Amino acid sequence: MEKNYHINTNCVQAGYSPKNGEPRVLPIVQSTTYKYESSVKMGKLFDLEADGYFYTRLQNPTNDAVAARITTLEGGVAGMLTSSGQAANFYATFNVASAGDHIVSSTAIYGGTFNLFSVTMKKLGIDFTFVRPDVSEEELNAAFRPNTKAVFAETLSNPSLDVLDIEKFAKAAHAHGVPLIVDNTFPTPINCRPFQFGADIVTHSTTKYMDGHATSVGGAIIDSGHFDWTQNDKFPGLTTPDESYHGVTYTERFGKGAYITKATVQLMRDLGSIPSPHNAFLLGIGLETLFLRVQRHCENAQKVAEFLEANDKVAWVNYPGLKSSKDYALAQKYMPHGTSGVVSFGVKGGREAAIRFMDHLELAAIVTHVADARTCVLHPASTTHRQLTDEQLEAAGVGPDLIRLSVGIEYIGDIIADLQQALDQA
Ligand code: PLP
């Protein structure tokens, strides 16, 4: 029923509908545990024969209400929260791949995700092949192996701001009988709904625009319900009995809820990356204004990008909303109402000028975070990537002059005035 409302309404109301006399605001169920009248009743939960809460490491009513809201925003059938975006991307991929398997991933992904895949998951025996987001269909298809279990990419990559050709990646994934998993953190479902273009699973670092106020690290995984796990024998974890639950077969017992149920009852049970209900509550509050905030972030970022492009001190600007962007056409197709509030650019004079510029900013704060209400900046070459040489920085797509600006929702005149005075002194 909620899905018939406009996405703005769902941001405010989806996922929680109090009944007569219940709290209007989603309550924080700050309880690790839940009472049952008999061991028999509780035992049924452990065998997945009955629905219900028994321990917050697996599920919690506050978390579930917020997950349901994000599921509605994405247009999915089932969803779950995790304690971080890192956990979301780990669970989303590990839920379908195990030792001896292989995943195809875009190169244009957040550095932490790249490390998760290329170092930590590799240690678990899962191999990755990385392909550029602008890879040709032929090269993309050539990246698959018989043991490939998924394709992973970011819809709008952090920090390179590449816009994913979702249909191209979905087509290749489906031709090889595997799901396309996309991280939709930067556009959020306000700007891009990947399920409409063939993606099967969406992940989020809710830490960014969804929370929106930089209060709570968190993640989410949403299933579109479109992918048929039984079409081949690649996903025995979903289609054959799980002995740790007395032989339950997820696709048979849970239908379209199979993937999220498995991630909850196996991965959350064993690895435990559950958010605290208090963080989920804060995320829910953030989601209420997501539509309003994302619109303002994008309006402000577009104006900032145009201002920077016209400024003599600026060497280059990368923002997919600019006609000069290599991804302008893709952005118009997949994110026609805006991409995100993140703009990257370089100032003339390279690394030293970038540092001078940053040090003169007054309104924009230097922080490692992106995508919250306050304008912030990061100079990767002197902070997150400072161990790299200039050559290594170029190879990583993070030039020594690159400044990542996360445009906030403050008054645009004040943001531009701050940039102007800092550029004047750079
Ligand atoms: N995905 C993207 C696109 C990100 O930008 C980030 C963090 O910056 C993550 C995942 C990881 O999320 P978290 O920091 O919430 O663990």
Side-chain angles (χ1 to χ4, degrees):
M1 187 180 159
E2 280 151 353
K3 287 182 187 167
N4 296 329
Y5 288 123
H6 187 272
I7 196 163
N8 188 171
T9 304
N10 284 329
C11 282
V12 186
Q13 297 229 11
Y16 177 63
S17 308
K19 298 189 195 72
N20 194 37
E22 290 181 353
R24 183 66 196 93
V25 174
L26 173 68
I28 306 176
V29 180
Q30 195 69 47
S31 180
T32 59
T33 195
Y34 305 83
K35 184 194 163 221
Y36 283 86
E37 285 158 359
S38 76
S39 301
V40 172
K41 282 188 181 166
M42 190 185 254
K44 288 192 190 310
L45 303 177
F46 280 85
D47 283 351
L48 304 180
E49 281 174 8
D51 271 349
Y53 296 97
F54 58 97
Y55 192 50
T56 282
R57 170 153 43 77
L58 280 95
Q59 276 185 293
N60 170 281
T62 310
N63 296 1
D64 284 357
V66 177
R69 179 172 300 174
I70 299 174
T71 303
T72 300
L73 297 181
E74 287 289 4
V77 295
M80 67 195 281
L81 298 187
T82 55
S83 57
S84 67
Q86 285 298 102
N89 284 330
F90 177 50
Y91 283 22
T93 47
F94 196 56
N95 204 30
V96 291
S98 46
D101 289 338
H102 171 257
I103 293 175
V104 176
S105 170
S106 165
T107 50
I109 54 175
Y110 167 61
T113 312
F114 184 76
N115 204 64
L116 167 70
F117 289 171
S118 60
V119 180
T120 301
M121 289 182 71
K122 198 170 167 51
K123 282 188 202 156
L124 296 175
I126 300 168
D127 237 357
F128 284 79
T129 298
F130 292 95
V131 293
R132 288 277 321 144
D134 57 2
V135 63
S136 69
E137 283 195 39
E138 204 181 7
E139 285 171 284
L140 181 54
N141 283 314
F144 287 80
R145 300 181 194 162
N147 58 343
T148 302
K149 296 298 168 77
V151 177
F152 181 92
E154 288 178 11
T155 49
L156 177 64
S157 61
N158 176 17
S160 58
L161 304 177
D162 288 282
V163 179
L164 186 72
D165 188 343
I166 303 172
E167 287 178 347
K168 177 176 78 178
F169 275 67
K171 188 174 156 202
H174 297 159
H176 292 86
V178 302
L180 172 62
I181 304 174
V182 292
D183 181 329
N184 197 33
T185 296
F186 267 26
T188 81
I190 306 304
N191 283 340
C192 178
R193 299 181 87 199
F195 295 154
Q196 294 176 348
F197 301 105
D200 301 289
I201 308 289
V202 159
T203 63
H204 282 279
S205 165
T206 60
T207 319
K208 309 295 169 343
Y209 290 116
M210 284 197 170
D211 167 68
H213 304 83
T215 68
S216 315
V217 173
I221 310 172
I222 314 299
D223 185 356
S224 66
H226 295 157
F227 192 80
D228 177 8
W229 305 103
T230 62
Q231 66 181 277
N232 52 40
D233 58 3
K234 282 177 177 280
F235 306 101
L238 283 151
T239 59
T240 62
D242 176 358
E243 291 317 326
S244 73
Y245 280 108
H246 303 297
V248 74
T249 298
Y250 294 99
T251 45
E252 280 173 14
R253 177 79 66 86
F254 300 103
K256 289 190 182 299
Y259 173 90
I260 291 293
T261 304
K262 176 177 179 287
T264 302
V265 302
Q266 281 184 350
L267 301 184
M268 208 48 105
R269 176 194 62 184
D270 295 350
L271 302 170
S273 312
I274 196 86
S276 80
H278 189 261
N279 274 12
F281 171 80
L282 290 172
L283 171 58
I285 298 283
L287 287 169
E288 290 181 11
T289 56
L290 184 68
F291 187 85
L292 295 176
R293 286 185 289 104
V294 165
Q295 274 190 332
R296 175 61 82 88
H297 279 291
C298 292
E299 269 169 39
N300 280 357
Q302 183 71 32
K303 287 181 184 147
V304 163
E306 287 167 11
F307 159 80
L308 290 171
E309 200 169 42
N311 193 292
D312 284 348
K313 296 240 175 156
V314 173
W316 57 270
V317 185
N318 179 17
Y319 186 65
L322 288 177
K323 291 212 167 88
S324 59
S325 161
K326 70 170 177 44
D327 284 348
Y328 182 74
L330 282 175
Q332 290 301 303
K333 173 172 177 180
Y334 291 109
M335 306 164 194
H337 304 299
T339 52
S340 80
V342 184
V343 179
S344 61
F345 66 102
V347 286
K348 290 178 184 160
R351 178 194 291 260
E352 284 69 34
I355 291 170
R356 275 198 306 278
F357 163 77
M358 303 251 310
D359 288 351
H360 282 101
L361 288 168
E362 290 168 6
L363 184 71
I366 301 175
V367 299
T368 54
H369 197 234
V370 270
D372 73 75
R374 301 162 207 92
T375 297
C376 58
V377 271
L378 179 74
H379 181 226
S382 60
T383 55
T384 49
H385 293 62
R386 66 180 293 126
Q387 73 282 10
L388 303 189
T389 62
D390 283 4
E391 292 71 37
Q392 287 171 323
L393 286 170
E394 294 290 359
V398 184
D401 63 341
L402 185 146
I403 295 164
R404 186 183 69 184
L405 178 66
S406 175
V407 182
I409 58 173
E410 302 92 342
Y411 173 60
I412 184 63
D414 291 335
I415 297 173
I416 289 186
D418 190 36
L419 297 173
Q420 178 74 66
Q421 63 81 25
L423 281 169
D424 290 346
Q425 299 181 73

